[in-house]
Amino acid sequence: MSMPRDEMELKEEAIRAHYAAAGALLAGFDHAPRLAKALAVEPAAERSPGIGARPRFRSTTPGLVTRSVARPEGVRLADRVLAVGGDALPGPVRASVVQGLRRALAIALAMGESFAEVTGLAELKKANFEARLPGQRSAEFSELLSAEALVVLSVFANATAFLLAPQAGEVTVEVGAVEEILTDNAPLALHGVLWELDQDIAAFANDEARLVAVVLAYAEQLMEKVRLRGESAPRLGAFTGSAWRVAADDFPIAGFAPARKARGTTLSMAFKKPNEVIGNHIAKYQAMRLAKMLMAYDFDRRMNPFAEMGGFIFTFMGDGKPGTGKTTLIQMMAGLLNDYCKVAGYPFRYQNLSIDTVDSYQGKSGQNAKAFISSVMDPAVIGFGTVDDIDQVAGKRGDRQSSTGQQEITAVLMEAFAGANTVVRGNCTFGMFSNYPENVDDALRQRAGARFLVDGPQSREDYIDILALLLGSNHTIPLGDHMLYAAQEIRRAVADSFERHGHPQEAGLRAVWEAVEKRQGRLDTIAKLGTYLKAIQDADPRFTGRAIKNITDAVKVRAMDFELPDLWMEDPELFLFKDYDTKRAMIADLRKPITVEMVVQEINRYADSEFRYADKSDEAAIDAAVRDMRRMEEAKRRYLEGKG
């Protein structure tokens, strides 16, 4: 496999040279915990009478001392892993875990060796071993040893998560924060984290599924903890400023960034077909088009032509009353993506950030949200992330009812959706759904580039269609005078829905529209449209520049208002497997010009939603104030009666 031009190869012979040291670490060593508290776990049982009770691993690195000064605790991680489940014969999963850990350790040690050569640490170690290290360089030596320890820990955790990803199942385990991170030198650092991993396996892994979940959870926690340490640690430029790849595993190393295996998720949800979504015409249409847009992603270029040309929906907000079909919309879009990816052979990953993510442990909620974002944005997969009931999951800033965990999630989502480091590749999309969008933080809500009004069935025809759909076929009731599902014909329904937004729907926005139209006449120039936007901002100060960006993005989506032919999804050779430039040219041929009607409709659609949120928020606040006043009146009445 050829290396990308900006990556160096971490040689296979250098990695295999560390297999013996990695195997010795797994076989056994002594470690006295310094930062973490030992759990009440049994020592790992020996697997053979021929193996000593406490095999020792001692570093052969010149100039380093790793001897423990407290009572040692024997760690035999390989024995611990192979004994999970109580089966005397090692199964393939347990064997894979041991092999993966050995490989990850060898890669980490090879990376540490490379780092030492590049930074001059190897020479300083030799000088220290020979007692000729200059005193003025002792501080540099200590800093480089600490930097090497962080490099080795990061690569070990990263490689472990990458190599064992194919073994992951649906089981998840919470192992808590990693504590035994020692940065005196690399060997001691590995002793600390392997000791703690041994503790977690003993405490949480009672079968093979949980074993893999524990190791992966520990690796994720260790990666994050080391990354945070690395942000302020000195002398790491040689590691963070370069990139390597292990060709045999196709494992990239780019500083502290996690390298995630291209692994999809096994979905157990009940998928819905588009004809099973009644009403919600614009939302359904945009979700169907977005699913096809995602499939245009080019895995070699790691970019989507739609994201480059404009018209890609990275984030969207779906709001509506309870029972109007938000969950059904999610099931439909996930089902479409799942089917398309199966045809193309692409890995598809769906993740939902739910209320269970909010944790009382400080910082844990933010970590959960970051893991969710990283998993969905993985450029090696097609990703779809949802935040259902986002008004409960993410807190509104300044709201005293929001917990610290909810506030952490809000901060993470805001940074991920429109932060300084956000890169929209076009391989994933995020949908936020709520029955009460007015309770979502204003800045977070405005990071939703598109608005899907999920208002459910509206017309008489919609209600007949949904009744017939839900009744099924186990009856003999005649249909009557009705063309079943004719009202759900998507093109006609969407055209009607967009035309309705030629004029505002909300009373507050309608007043602004009428005032501007009276002064300016028909809104048919950019100057007049800009005047209308300014008038909306005067009426609602929350209507900022971000709102204009979201509107123009929506207009660009309308310019891409065409269906990628179904045949392109059914036969990958026709489109999906084309090179990036060919796909871009095929899409460009279908693009439509932007019209005044499109701009007006998208301004009104977006502004209507903001006015709707504001009205609902004001009404909720007024209702709460009225309830408070009534309670006070009743309290006064009872107080006066009791006093009399």
Side-chain angles (χ1 to χ4, degrees), residues 402-413:
S402 296
S403 68
T404 303
Q406 290 172 311
Q407 298 286 350
E408 290 174 7
I409 291 174
T410 299
V412 170
L413 295 183

Side-chain angles (χ1 to χ4, degrees), residues 25 29 75 77 105 156 190-198:
L25 276 169
F29 60 88
V75 179
L77 190 57
L105 284 168
F156 165 64
L190 288 174
H191 283 188
V193 297
L194 291 176
W195 169 85
E196 192 166 8
L197 176 58
D198 177 75

Side-chain angles (χ1 to χ4, degrees), residues 233-254:
R235 303 190 184 275
L236 282 166
F239 177 61
T240 58
S242 302
W244 293 262
R245 184 173 292 270
V246 179
D249 305 305
D250 196 24
F251 168 54
I253 303 171

Side-chain angles (χ1 to χ4, degrees), residues 493-512:
V494 166
D496 291 343
S497 296
F498 277 131
E499 283 179 12
R500 284 201 301 271
H501 289 286
H503 289 78
Q505 305 294 303
E506 297 295 315
L509 182 61
R510 198 178 304 122
V512 176

